[in-house]
Amino acid sequence: MHAFFASVASDRFTHAFPLVGVQDFERAVVDSNYHARIDTIKPVFEHAAHRLNEGKIDSKVVHHVWQRLLPHVLTQEREG
């Protein structure tokens, strides 16, 4: 959207095209790259870790929370 407005506002731009970002929640869990995502709702993950008797938030806890909050967001569950 910003590229469109910039191309309309200025003739310095000759081409404008949108970019789409895609996130793979399963890959984030597998590679333990979920920290930035969970920081926004960290109390939820802390509570889940406590309920699962885990000492800290790990991939198991993150997987469990995603299953409860966002069913079918993990690739394996969509395909299965």
Side-chain angles (χ1 to χ4, degrees):
M1 189 61 137
H2 292 92
F4 172 75
F5 289 134
S7 66
V8 171
S10 174
D11 54 352
R12 293 180 294 158
F13 297 94
T14 58
H15 296 83
F17 56 92
L19 297 176
V20 177
V22 177
Q23 296 185 9
D24 186 350
F25 283 81
E26 181 182 18
R27 173 59 66 191
V29 172
V30 170
D31 293 343
S32 296
N33 293 328
Y34 48 78
H35 303 290
R37 288 187 183 130
I38 69 170
D39 282 344
T40 58
I41 54 172
K42 196 166 191 168
V44 173
F45 291 92
E46 290 170 342
H47 181 73
H50 177 72
R51 300 253 336 221
L52 293 170
N53 294 322
E54 296 289 327
K56 61 178 183 166
I57 300 171
D58 59 4
S59 293
K60 177 182 174 185
V61 173
V62 174
H63 186 270
H64 177 77
V65 171
W66 287 150
Q67 279 184 312
R68 300 283 292 184
L69 292 179
L70 304 167
H72 308 293
V73 75
L74 302 177
T75 307
Q76 290 178 344
E77 295 173 20
R78 273 195 312 253
E79 293 172 356

